[in-house]
Amino acid sequence: MHKFEKIWITLGTSSLALFLIILGISAVHGGHTPAASGIETINPEHVRDDERFKEPGLVEATSGDHDYDLYFVASAFMYEPGEVEIPVGSKVKVHVTSPDVVHGFQVVGTNINMMAEPGLISTYDMTFDEPGEHLILCNEYCGVGHADMTSKLKIVDGGTTND
């Protein structure tokens, strides 16, 4: 092997080793761990025992920088609630979970697109500035009734109701 090839191989390997050492030290120093953080979990067998998901729907927020919390349970083959009215201009934190299998949760016409996974609570903050209706659909195949799994958000002027 030519001496210049040996120099380039040594330089490249040394650079890679230095990079990995710096990365490792930065991760340990910053307190990073392989475990996920900021993820809220729930026992999928006891979703209905949780006060938030016992009667899912829109509730006024008691904390945080949003106006309402919107709770959804995605289960074979439906969303609960089936329809929700939200006042125009409201900042809503959407919470979704599933007691059975993985479902998709997409609110058509918005940026809301989450996975509803057993054991996890997915969340998304959204401000609804314009009146109208948004279809909610499952975009993750979940079984034979998948195509019929829908719900609806109605953005309205005025109060709120849950069906």
Side-chain angles (χ1 to χ4, degrees):
M1 185 183 300
H2 194 272
K3 75 174 188 176
F4 290 129
E5 288 179 1
K6 288 180 183 178
I7 291 171
W8 279 112
I9 289 173
T10 304
L11 185 64
T13 305
S14 301
S15 297
L16 179 61
L18 180 64
F19 171 74
L20 291 175
I21 290 169
I22 291 171
L23 186 65
I25 291 171
S26 297
V28 171
H29 180 69
H32 298 286
T33 62
S37 62
I39 294 177
E40 186 176 1
T41 60
I42 188 169
N43 185 335
E45 295 175 6
H46 299 286
V47 167
R48 297 297 183 181
D49 297 335
D50 189 300
E51 286 299 318
R52 301 167 295 175
F53 295 103
K54 190 176 281 188
E55 291 184 37
L58 190 69
V59 295
E60 287 193 42
T62 56
S63 63
D65 63 345
H66 53 282
D67 303 315
Y68 296 96
D69 286 295
L70 177 55
Y71 296 97
F72 270 95
V73 175
S75 58
F77 296 99
M78 59 187 272
Y79 291 109
E80 291 180 68
E83 185 176 295
V84 178
E85 289 187 2
I86 300 172
V88 172
S90 299
K91 184 170 184 182
V92 179
K93 185 173 204 125
V94 181
H95 309 262
V96 182
T97 193
S98 170
D100 51 22
V101 299
V102 175
H103 298 280
F105 186 86
Q106 179 180 4
V107 181
V108 178
T110 71
N111 288 335
I112 300 174
N113 188 0
M114 300 184 283
M115 302 273 296
E117 300 179 57
L120 297 176
I121 299 174
S122 299
T123 60
Y124 194 93
D125 291 324
M126 180 77 187
T127 301
F128 295 95
D129 291 325
E130 298 193 21
E133 291 186 5
H134 296 281
L135 178 67
I136 299 172
L137 53 85
C138 180
N139 57 8
E140 188 72 34
Y141 184 73
C142 55
V144 294
H146 166 75
D148 299 322
M149 191 170 168
T150 63
S151 184
K152 189 184 297 185
L153 290 183
K154 290 184 176 181
I155 314 306
V156 297
D157 292 319
T160 64
T161 61
N162 294 326
D163 292 339

